[in-house]
Amino acid sequence: MIVADSKPLQEILAMVREYKKILIVGCKGCVTVCNVGGAKEVEVLRASLMIDGKKEGSPPDIDTMVIERQCDNEYVETLRDNIDAYDAVLSMACGVGPQFLSEAYPEQKFFPAVNTSFYGGAVAHGIWEERCAGCGTCIIHYFDGLCPVARCAKSLLHGPCGGSADGICEVSKETVCIWDTIVKKKIAQGRIEDLFVLQEPRDWRTARDGGPRRSIRETLAE
Amino acid sequence: MPCTGRVDIIHLLNAFEDGADGVYVAGCLEGECHFSTGNIKARKKVAYVKKVLEAIGIEPQRVAMYNLSSAQGQRFAEIAKEMVDTITAIGPTPVKDSKAA
Amino acid sequence: MSDLKSGSNLEKVLKAGHFAFTGECGPPRGANVEHFTEKLSHLKGNVDAVNITDNQTAVARMSSLAASHIAIHEGLEPNFQMVCRDRNRLAMISDILGAHALGIRNMLCLSGDHQTFGNCPEAKNVHDIDSMQLIRMVTQMRDEGVFLDGDDIDLPPKLFVGAASNPFADPFEYRVYRLKNKINAGADFIQTQCIYNMEKFREFMKMVVDMGLHEKCYILAGVTPMKNAGMANYMKKFVPGMEIPDALIKRLKGVEKAAQPEEGIRFALEQVEEFKEMEGVAGVHMMAIEWEHKVPEIAERAGMLPRPSV
């Protein structure tokens, strides 16, 4: 899933304070699962903006709604009837959401309420970690299903670097050295030879470096 | 509410939105929650609301968490007084609700 | 001599079987050439080649390419360091070609310290290819005369290619295999991380020798003399991948403060003596960090002078 974090409230206030009629749109997709842009969070943001507005003596009018997925035009379309009634729209979806909204409604102003962080999952209640870099050419079969592109701070394909100590990355005590994990797993399975292969330089064209990407399912696309 | 674990951020914010000068949550003593961690959860939510108030420029002391047992009636009264004193010292909320009753 | 890979002084010294002695010098944090040449002057004639670091510790400095060229001008042979953090393959290739054109004949391929440690922590890092792939790329450019896409290079760059090895990072049992991978990728020589834990290094070198790696590659043992007990404490606590035995800290603390630098140098000299005899060690890489003026004395006392002329 896509994991996001709330933007600092002050940053959001700076974006929308000048607007009188605001719509906050949540998303029932990833941001609901990672508790940052679902129904609950939409209400918290609404209340926060209202408290601020009342303190400043000019409370805005705020409506809220939560749609199935902001990354799907079918659901984005449900905003059409009322979208013109607002001065600004705050999207609490990942970075994809405000863009689908913005493209669907060229006359409206859209603002992001979250910082979209990474593709990952929950490792414990309330804690999410990155697992995938979305580089477009998966090579984790070389590394027992573990991804050094996403999880090594230097994206090394031949780690671990000299900064690996006690299984922890030099960059942060919170970060596992994924190369330490890979090596130990290979050793435990008696397959250390797998790591003697010199990996070719990667073709980053399938990653963001090749320009914005597009995915086509020929059986579905018209 | 059966337990402070049921308190949500939005409940606290709604109170401020409606013009409350202060809000405090009185939970059971830590380690003595009937539902094991309800009061710990409430504490985290109070801390979150403090941050929201701070970001808006409102005194974070307007929201507080207290822990006491149901047998401590006297302590409950003390806490209430303490909270009132705190709020009185800060003054009324800057949140002006023209629509509120 | 025709089978020399680059014909650098360092390569010739090693090939002739001399015990190599290399130094290190960081480019200035500014455009002050005089400050840099002053530091270099202490190394001149006392080392076979001098490593010119590339934005070491991720602090932006004068470029290692420019500083390597200045070293040549000052009469020293540079070992041009290149990290994968700051350059994509285009920039690497162009700097490799440029390095050769400027007369640089040694190059050290490194991953690079993470940028969050330096003075541009907000920077985007590159890591297009890693140090292993950089070693392969530059040796392929040299030996096969081709770019990555197979196109011919009009005059391939002839560089003596080095890599780093840290025997003290984890997992220890894998370190020798990572060294082996670097040698298989094409590394001609290896310079190790600063060694303080001699026992562990002996163990590491035994594995190196058992695997015959020392016959495929020249291994230079890294030495950084401790200036005092404070430096040892700091390195132990804050420098990742550095192993400082308590016995060494105790030894430094055992003498009065004014005598600690000399005690640090003594320990370094004892290390050099052992390395001279240690199977598989082809030389010493002396990293006297911001202590360049001590290098002549250290080289002299280590019996490294005069440096061989080959």
Side-chain angles (χ1 to χ4, degrees):
Chain A
M1 64 183 280
I2 292 176
V3 178
D5 294 294
S6 307
K7 267 190 180 295
L9 184 55
Q10 282 179 324
E11 202 181 321
I12 298 174
L13 288 171
M15 289 190 281
V16 301
R17 229 176 204 160
E18 62 182 287
Y19 301 110
K20 289 289 123 229
K21 196 146 173 50
I22 299 169
L23 174 66
I24 302 176
V25 191
C27 178
K28 291 183 189 170
C30 306
V31 290
T32 289
V33 182
C34 68
N35 306 72
V36 74
K40 259 190 171 183
E41 294 77 33
V42 163
E43 283 313 306
V44 167
L45 181 58
R46 185 203 60 77
S48 303
L49 296 185
M50 284 307 292
I51 294 170
D52 176 74
K54 288 179 177 179
K55 173 180 166 270
E56 298 298 313
S58 57
D61 271 337
I62 303 179
D63 287 338
T64 60
M65 67 188 294
V66 184
I67 65 175
E68 280 306 308
R69 282 194 302 278
Q70 292 189 26
C71 57
D72 193 326
N73 281 326
E74 184 185 338
Y75 303 113
V76 167
E77 205 48 40
T78 59
L79 273 71
R80 189 160 303 276
D81 289 347
N82 299 315
I83 193 81
D84 293 336
Y86 302 98
D87 300 329
V89 178
L90 259 173
S91 165
M92 296 195 76
C94 73
V96 179
Q99 300 192 55
F100 266 64
L101 296 176
S102 188
E103 287 170 56
Y105 305 110
E107 308 294 319
Q108 187 52 275
K109 294 178 282 298
F110 294 92
F111 299 91
V114 304
N115 289 323
T116 307
S117 304
F118 52 80
Y119 309 139
V123 291
H125 188 61
I127 302 173
W128 288 265
E129 278 184 4
E130 182 164 19
R131 287 294 182 268
C132 177
C135 67
T137 308
C138 194
I139 53 165
I140 61 177
H141 50 294
Y142 292 115
F143 313 114
D144 275 326
L146 301 166
C147 183
V149 177
R151 301 180 65 187
C152 168
K154 301 176 186 174
S155 293
L156 298 184
L157 295 188
H158 307 85
C161 78
S164 175
D166 297 324
I168 300 297
C169 173
E170 64 177 3
V171 173
S172 158
K173 285 189 171 63
E174 308 295 321
T175 306
V176 160
C177 169
I178 196 61
W179 267 107
D180 186 87
T181 312
I182 293 169
V183 165
K184 285 189 175 146
K185 194 167 174 188
K186 289 283 188 192
I187 291 174
Q189 294 188 1
R191 299 192 292 132
I192 194 69
E193 293 77 16
D194 291 358
L195 298 178
F196 300 165
V197 178
L198 182 65
Q199 300 288 334
E200 289 294 318
R202 301 210 61 205
D203 181 349
W204 293 110
R205 282 176 295 188
T206 59
R208 239 297 304 171
D209 307 81
R213 292 164 282 175
R214 189 163 212 228
S215 201
I216 302 170
R217 264 352 126 256
E218 273 151 14
T219 49
L220 300 174
E222 285 175 12
Chain B
M1 273 182 197
C3 171
T4 52
R6 183 68 186 79
V7 174
D8 219 330
I9 292 164
I10 191 66
H11 301 133
L12 304 175
L13 288 179
N14 280 342
F16 284 105
E17 187 186 343
D18 291 342
D21 292 317
V23 179
Y24 72 97
V25 179
C28 297
L29 292 165
E30 290 196 4
E32 290 182 13
C33 175
H34 182 66
F35 304 99
S36 95
T37 58
N39 46 7
I40 308 289
K41 287 176 177 152
R43 189 183 65 200
K44 289 179 182 172
K45 285 164 184 166
V46 167
Y48 182 96
V49 172
K50 278 180 181 288
K51 279 192 201 158
V52 170
L53 295 182
E54 240 175 337
I56 294 171
I58 295 174
E59 302 83 357
Q61 307 94 289
R62 289 185 187 277
V63 62
M65 173 89 196
Y66 289 99
N67 297 89
L68 72 168
S69 84
S70 54
Q72 293 174 295
Q74 172 115 18
R75 175 72 188 132
F76 187 77
E78 278 168 24
I79 288 167
K81 188 176 178 309
E82 196 178 309
M83 194 66 194
V84 168
D85 290 348
T86 304
I87 301 303
T88 311
I90 306 171
T93 176
V95 177
K96 303 280 175 281
D97 190 351
S98 49
K99 286 171 252 172
Chain C
M1 298 295 269
S2 59
D3 57 349
L4 287 172
K5 288 172 172 170
S6 78
S8 75
N9 181 59
L10 179 61
E11 180 182 16
K12 287 192 273 190
V13 165
L14 286 165
K15 204 159 194 323
H18 297 293
F19 192 76
F21 194 64
T22 54
E24 185 156 311
C25 197
R29 288 196 63 189
N32 191 338
V33 175
E34 282 72 30
H35 177 67
F36 182 55
T37 55
E38 194 277 327
K39 286 203 294 182
L40 281 175
S41 68
H42 303 294
L43 297 167
K44 190 174 175 180
N46 297 320
V47 293
D48 300 317
V50 55
N51 284 35
I52 306 297
T53 53
D54 184 15
N55 292 337
Q56 81 263 27
T57 62
V59 172
R61 293 163 183 269
M62 181 187 288
S63 87
S64 59
L65 181 60
S68 292
H69 187 238
I70 292 169
I72 294 176
H73 192 74
E74 295 299 308
L76 281 110
E77 177 170 288
N79 181 15
F80 165 50
Q81 295 195 183
M82 183 184 280
V83 298
C84 299
R85 179 195 59 225
D86 306 337
R87 295 171 181 82
N88 68 7
R89 62 191 85 176
L90 277 89
M92 286 172 164
I93 292 168
S94 68
D95 278 355
I96 289 164
L97 296 174
H100 185 261
L102 289 172
I104 292 162
R105 293 294 178 266
N106 306 303
M107 172 177 163
L108 191 76
C109 306
L110 305 162
S111 304
D113 294 319
H114 198 264
Q115 73 279 3
T116 50
F117 292 112
N119 67 345
C120 303
E122 310 88 348
K124 192 169 178 2
N125 61 18
V126 182
H127 299 295
D128 173 15
I129 61 177
D130 69 12
S131 59
M132 208 73 71
Q133 294 166 328
L134 174 58
I135 295 164
R136 167 55 61 91
M137 183 175 80
V138 63
T139 52
Q140 194 174 305
M141 287 170 73
R142 178 191 70 197
D143 300 335
E144 296 166 36
V146 291
F147 290 106
L148 284 172
D149 64 358
D151 268 9
D152 286 341
I153 300 172
D154 176 16
L155 195 82
K158 299 291 184 192
L159 293 160
F160 191 50
V161 177
S165 171
N166 184 359
F168 308 103
D170 290 324
F172 176 67
E173 64 272 32
Y174 185 67
R175 286 290 139 187
V176 71
Y177 292 111
R178 190 155 190 261
L179 169 63
K180 180 181 150 180
N181 282 347
K182 288 192 175 181
I183 295 169
N184 287 344
D188 302 308
F189 68 98
I190 297 289
Q191 290 171 320
T192 78
Q193 173 68 284
C194 319
I195 300 157
Y196 296 103
N197 185 341
M198 292 297 279
E199 202 174 320
K200 199 164 184 178
F201 187 67
R202 286 180 205 115
E203 200 182 328
F204 176 77
M205 281 310 297
K206 190 177 176 313
M207 290 190 275
V208 168
V209 171
D210 286 347
M211 288 169 68
L213 300 179
H214 64 304
E215 286 160 358
K216 298 177 183 162
C217 181
Y218 301 104
I219 295 165
L220 277 59
V223 175
T224 292
M226 288 290 188
K227 292 178 185 174
N228 48 52
M231 174 178 172
N233 265 324
Y234 177 87
M235 285 170 92
K236 186 183 178 83
K237 269 194 203 147
F238 298 112
V239 183
M242 194 74 79
E243 211 171 296
I244 322 280
D246 291 330
L248 174 60
I249 297 176
K250 209 175 152 195
R251 175 171 164 180
L252 292 165
K253 277 186 179 159
V255 301
E256 57 183 290
K257 211 163 166 70
Q260 286 180 4
E262 170 57 21
E263 200 58 32
I265 290 175
R266 271 191 204 154
F267 177 72
L269 294 173
E270 289 162 24
Q271 288 183 293
V272 175
E273 283 314 306
E274 184 170 346
F275 293 141
K276 285 183 193 169
E277 304 302 323
M278 196 180 286
E279 190 178 3
V281 175
V284 162
H285 178 49
M286 183 62 63
M287 295 164 272
I289 302 163
E290 292 306 317
W291 226 17
E292 289 83 3
H293 64 276
K294 285 280 184 188
V295 171
E297 179 197 330
I298 294 168
E300 178 65 45
R301 292 170 65 187
M304 287 292 141
L305 298 181
R307 295 311 305 148
S309 138
V310 285

